[in-house]
């Protein structure tokens, strides 16, 4: 039986009501849920480290192209309790993998297990792979799968004995916008930078500055937000190659996203004391297509004295993870705090892992929000003067 015939037998209604999942760093569930609601997604629900919604091929394309903060878009095929390998096998085999996976497609398996009886990730991988193979063998009536066509990456998570089995629609993580070369390491992912800008509520109307801009990630994400440019507009995604989904939706959603772009006058500044970092930042902004609306300048943040009637600073200064660097970071915080307090009308959103940041900075934050920059536990300190 051909895959197209199987899809017709099972009905198109299922294909338009997938349970979709956006994994994220802890603390970013709310902003991602807000993003999805603005995209008119249905059944948006938060969980720790994940945000769920429902939809079909068009919603998969829309989320991948437009999400600024989420890490990727997963299609959850099933969730169940599994305390034994037999339970994991049988529940996995019972899922309708043929809905999506053609008989010549590749379907590698990867995942993780936390606080569960099934703790061996390699054994779980083998069991899940075997169960999917057995399911597809019975459906397609074949014994061997060449796995030479497009890829359907299976991702599993087992947490407290509850297994979630998904297929990754994104491929490379959504933080990989395409403007930062692979060798250009930076302390902040594009998705975290976008989250910080989003939490600041910057939308292009105020003056914007990052006085520790480094390679320019925060100003570039601010520029993309100001222009309302979809961050995934010019990159590819795994599900674009899937025969089991309507491929025409990708162009439709790209055109829809592009139609909502703004063209305005913006005052976005990226400043840093390091000229080499600024050169990288300019190159990244050029690749992102926003170099015309960001001004990069060499400046010492400890002497910050910019004048504004209504401004927002979003920044990620050095944390100082080592002892000597920690002392240097504290000195940097103290001097920047003194400079910032001497200014007027600049709201400040600053990310730091330093447990004594407020004391060193010289002022308690009006609000704080716990976030994770990778594996580093941080606070986003908000000063709303």
């Amino acid at each position: 039986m051909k895959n197209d015939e199987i899809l017709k037998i099972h009905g198109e209604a299922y294909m338009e009501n997938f349970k979709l999942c956006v994994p994220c760093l802890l603390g970013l569930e709310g902003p991602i849920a807000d993003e999805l609601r603005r995209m008119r997604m249905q059944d948006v629900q938060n969980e720790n480290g994940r945000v769920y919604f429902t939809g079909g091929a068009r919603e998969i394309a829309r989320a991948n192209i437009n999400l600024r903060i989420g890490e990727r878009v997963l299609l959850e095929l099933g969730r169940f309790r599994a305390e034994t390998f037999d339970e994991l096998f049988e529940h996995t085999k019972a899922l309708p993998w043929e809905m999506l996976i053609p008989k010549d497609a590749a379907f590698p398996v990867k995942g993780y297990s936390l606080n569960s009886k099934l703790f061996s990730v390699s054994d779980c991988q083998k069991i899940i792979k075997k169960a999917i193979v057995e399911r597809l063998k019975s459906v397609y009536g074949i014994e061997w799968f060449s796995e030479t066509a497009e890829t359907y990456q299976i991702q599993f998570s087992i947490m407290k004995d509850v297994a979630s089995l998904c297929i990754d629609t994104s491929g490379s993580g959504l933080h990989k916008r395409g403007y930062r070369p692979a060798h250009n390491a930076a302390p902040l992912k594009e998705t975290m930078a976008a989250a910080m800008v989003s939490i600041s509520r910057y939308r292009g109307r105020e003056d914007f500055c990052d006085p520790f801009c480094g390679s320019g990630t925060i100003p570039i994400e601010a520029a993309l937000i100001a222009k309302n440019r979809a961050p995934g507009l010019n990159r590819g995604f795994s599900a674009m190659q899937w025969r089991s989904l309507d491929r025409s939706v990708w162009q439709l959603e790209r055109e829809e996203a592009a139609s909502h772009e703004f063209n305005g006058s913006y005052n976005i500044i990226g400043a840093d004391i390091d000229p080499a970092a600024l050169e990288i930042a300019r190159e990244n902004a050029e690749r992102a297509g926003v170099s015309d609306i960001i001004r990069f300048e060499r400046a010492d943040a400890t002497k910050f004295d910019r004048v504004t009637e209504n401004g927002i600073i979003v920044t990620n200064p050095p944390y100082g993870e080592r002892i000597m660097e920690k002392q240097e970071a504290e000195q940097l915080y103290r001097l920047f705090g003194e400079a910032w307090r001497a200014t007027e009308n600049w709201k400040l959103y600053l990310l730091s892992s330093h447990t004594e940041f407020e004391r060193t900075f010289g002022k308690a934050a009006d609000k704080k929000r716990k976030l994770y920059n990778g594996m580093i536990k941080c606070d986003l300190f908000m000063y709303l003067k």
Side-chain angles (χ1 to χ4, degrees):
M1 183 179 292
K2 294 180 180 178
N3 201 50
D4 290 346
E5 294 171 351
I6 291 167
L7 294 179
K8 289 176 183 177
I9 290 170
H10 285 277
E12 293 182 1
Y14 182 87
M15 299 296 286
E16 294 303 317
N17 288 281
F18 291 123
K19 186 171 186 180
L20 302 167
C21 168
V22 181
C24 63
L25 296 170
L26 291 172
L28 297 182
E29 298 89 347
I32 290 171
D34 290 342
E35 278 195 282
L36 291 168
R37 292 188 182 102
R38 286 195 295 271
M39 292 179 214
R40 308 180 308 281
M41 299 303 190
Q42 301 298 310
D43 307 314
V44 177
Q45 294 181 323
N46 295 13
E47 287 190 10
N48 281 344
R50 293 187 168 207
V51 182
Y52 284 93
F53 65 105
T54 59
R58 190 147 191 179
E59 287 73 24
I60 289 171
R62 186 181 308 153
N64 273 297
I65 291 167
N66 290 282
L67 272 171
R68 298 187 188 280
I69 305 173
E71 294 303 310
R72 56 185 64 248
V73 180
L74 304 177
L75 190 160
E76 187 177 80
L77 212 58
R79 186 191 286 203
F80 49 82
R81 192 165 189 84
E83 298 182 12
T84 68
F85 286 127
D86 283 344
E87 288 177 336
L88 181 62
F89 180 88
E90 292 301 332
H91 285 305
T92 301
K93 186 181 176 183
L95 296 174
W97 298 99
E98 67 277 4
M99 281 283 189
L100 291 162
I101 303 176
K103 60 184 178 183
D104 56 348
F107 48 102
V109 178
K110 66 180 180 181
Y112 62 89
S113 177
L114 295 172
N115 304 319
S116 299
K117 294 181 177 66
L118 299 179
F119 57 85
S120 171
V121 170
S122 60
D123 286 334
C124 291
Q125 283 178 299
K126 293 172 187 174
I127 293 294
I128 291 168
K129 180 76 173 187
K130 182 179 179 183
I132 298 171
V133 167
E134 290 302 314
R135 170 80 183 202
L136 296 182
K137 279 167 64 174
S138 66
V139 171
Y140 292 127
I142 58 177
E143 291 294 318
W144 174 256
F145 294 88
S146 63
E147 299 197 49
T148 54
E150 73 269 29
T151 298
Y152 295 73
Q153 176 67 61
I154 313 298
Q155 289 206 178
F156 71 88
S157 65
I158 306 176
M159 298 185 66
K160 297 181 180 178
D161 299 319
V162 175
S164 168
L165 297 188
C166 301
I167 304 179
D168 179 15
T169 73
S170 300
S172 297
L174 296 183
H175 70 279
K176 295 186 178 179
R177 319 286 208 218
Y179 63 75
R180 205 166 73 190
H183 65 270
N184 180 195
L188 201 68
K189 275 187 177 181
E190 295 88 330
T191 43
M192 177 58 80
M196 292 166 63
V197 176
S198 178
I199 292 168
S200 81
R201 299 192 179 279
Y202 173 72
R203 297 292 183 272
R205 291 180 290 275
E206 306 88 347
D207 294 336
F208 184 95
C209 183
D210 177 3
F212 300 92
C213 78
S215 59
T217 308
I218 290 175
I220 290 170
E221 291 299 322
L224 292 172
I225 287 172
K227 291 180 72 67
N228 200 36
R229 176 174 295 165
L233 202 60
N234 298 314
R235 57 157 285 182
F237 306 95
S238 287
M240 292 174 64
Q241 307 303 319
W242 294 2
R243 283 166 283 167
S244 45
L245 295 182
D246 180 1
R247 294 182 182 179
S248 68
V249 300
W250 295 93
Q251 185 59 31
L252 290 172
E253 288 299 328
R254 288 187 200 281
E255 291 172 0
E256 176 73 13
S259 73
H260 294 299
E261 276 196 29
F262 305 142
N263 288 303
S265 178
Y266 311 104
N267 185 26
I268 302 172
I269 302 165
D272 203 279
I273 202 167
D274 181 0
L278 289 170
E279 186 57 35
I280 292 171
R282 292 186 184 100
E283 291 171 359
N284 289 343
E286 184 73 33
R287 277 187 289 268
V290 292
S291 59
D292 59 325
I293 63 168
I294 305 176
R295 190 165 75 254
F296 288 106
E297 300 176 355
R298 188 179 184 189
D300 184 347
T302 65
K303 296 179 174 61
F304 186 90
D305 61 355
R306 297 178 187 275
V307 177
T308 185
E309 293 183 1
N310 187 13
I312 295 176
I313 298 170
V314 179
T315 194
N316 177 45
Y319 297 161
E321 292 297 306
R322 300 181 182 89
I323 293 175
M324 183 62 72
E325 290 176 353
K326 185 175 181 179
Q327 293 171 350
E328 292 173 355
E330 287 180 351
Q331 176 76 345
L332 194 64
Y333 295 158
R334 183 180 65 79
L335 294 173
F336 177 59
E338 290 174 0
W340 174 78
R341 287 194 298 278
T343 66
E344 295 181 350
N345 307 321
W346 283 106
K347 295 178 182 176
L348 172 62
Y349 296 78
L350 185 149
L351 188 71
S352 177
S353 66
H354 198 298
T355 54
E356 295 294 319
F357 171 79
E358 289 165 292
R359 175 189 59 78
T360 308
F361 187 70
K363 181 176 171 58
D366 296 306
K367 292 182 180 180
K368 289 190 289 187
R369 187 179 192 130
K370 291 194 182 301
L371 297 174
Y372 282 83
N373 184 12
M375 299 302 292
I376 302 174
K377 185 178 179 181
C378 298
D379 282 290
L380 183 62
F381 296 93
M382 305 180 222
Y383 296 89
L384 309 177
K385 75 173 182 180

